[in-house]
Amino acid sequence: GKAKTVFRKSPKSENVYLKLLVKLYRFLARRTEAKFNKVVLKRLFMSRANRPPCSIAKLAKEMKGKDGKTCVVVGTVTNDVRLLDDSTLKFTVCCLRCVDSARARIVAAGGEVITFDQLALRAPTGSNCILLRGVLKSREVYKHFGRAPGVPQSDTKPYTRGGNGKNRKIESARGRRKTCGFKV
C-alpha cells in the first residue's frame, strides 16, 4: 500500500495556545534560516511522553558559566528539592509550563521565566539560546522494558499484583527473596 507518514505534522492536542505557538513557529521555521526554530516546531508537535520534564537542578548544571544566555525547554520545568544553592538559578528560562515552586525559586534568585511567544520577540533565530530536554527514559514504564523478568541477566521490573512490601502473599516468595531459594 501507500507509504504512511509516521511523523507528526501538527500537534494532536486541542490546546488553542499550543496551536497559536505552532502557527508562530511554523512561520519562523519557514521564514528564517535558523535550525533552532525547526527543532522547536518539531518538539511542539510531540506527545507528552516525548516531552519529558526537566528539573531546575539540571538547568542549573547546564547553564553554569553561560551568563546572558536563555535556557529553552519545550516541555515542563519542575522543582528539585535536592538543589540547595538557589543562587545558581539566576538565568532566563523559556518553557511550555513551569511548576509554581520552580518558578518561585527562579524568580527569587533573580532569574525569569518567559513563554515561547516572548522568546520569539527576543530571539527570533534562537541566538544565545540553549535548547535542553529532560531524560526520555526516566518514565517508570521503561523499567518494565527489556528481557523478560526472571530470565538470566535480566534487570527488567516485573508487572506484579502487589509484592514488594505492599502485600504479604502475592508474588513475593521463592525467586523474589533471598531467604526462599533465590532472588532475581
Side-chain angles (χ1 to χ4, degrees):
K2 186 167 165 272
K4 193 161 150 261
T5 50
V6 290
F7 58 92
R8 288 187 179 185
K9 292 183 174 173
S10 62
K12 251 185 185 174
S13 167
E14 291 295 311
N15 187 333
V16 286
Y17 299 106
L18 184 66
K19 285 184 172 181
L20 283 168
L21 282 184
V22 165
K23 199 178 266 194
L24 170 64
Y25 273 88
R26 217 188 273 280
F27 172 81
L28 287 172
R30 190 178 75 243
R31 293 297 297 267
T32 61
E33 295 290 308
K35 182 114 187 278
F36 174 86
N37 292 327
K38 291 181 176 62
V39 174
V40 169
L41 180 65
K42 188 177 77 176
R43 289 190 192 175
L44 286 171
F45 295 162
M46 286 182 180
S47 64
R48 214 175 114 195
N50 288 322
R51 285 188 282 108
C54 205
S55 75
I56 54 173
K58 179 171 175 145
L59 301 188
K61 190 177 121 200
E62 297 290 341
M63 297 300 287
K64 195 176 174 186
K66 297 183 177 135
D67 298 331
K69 293 195 186 298
T70 305
C71 170
V72 181
V73 180
V74 187
T76 307
V77 170
T78 55
N79 189 24
D80 193 342
V81 291
R82 298 168 297 184
L83 180 71
L84 303 172
D85 185 15
D86 275 9
S87 64
T88 55
L89 297 173
K90 197 180 176 188
F91 49 77
T92 303
V93 186
C94 172
C95 55
L96 284 178
R97 192 170 152 266
C98 187
V99 176
D100 287 341
S101 48
R103 186 189 300 271
R105 285 179 74 177
I106 291 166
V107 171
E112 61 172 338
V113 181
I114 63 169
T115 54
F116 275 93
D117 49 317
Q118 289 169 304
L119 181 75
L121 291 170
R122 288 188 196 186
T125 59
S127 53
N128 286 329
C129 288
I130 292 160
L131 196 55
L132 299 173
R133 55 177 160 185
V135 185
L136 187 67
K137 299 276 173 104
S138 287
R139 272 169 68 222
E140 203 273 340
V141 72
Y142 283 101
K143 291 180 181 176
H144 297 283
F145 298 163
R147 289 176 65 93
V151 294
Q153 285 85 48
S154 161
D155 294 324
T156 310
K157 186 175 181 178
Y159 287 111
T160 63
R161 250 179 67 207
N164 311 338
K166 289 192 207 73
N167 199 324
R168 185 175 58 79
K169 294 191 290 195
I170 311 281
E171 300 191 41
S172 58
R174 185 174 176 276
R176 281 265 128 235
R177 52 175 133 151
K178 275 269 166 64
T179 55
C180 294
F182 66 101
K183 179 167 180 359
V184 290

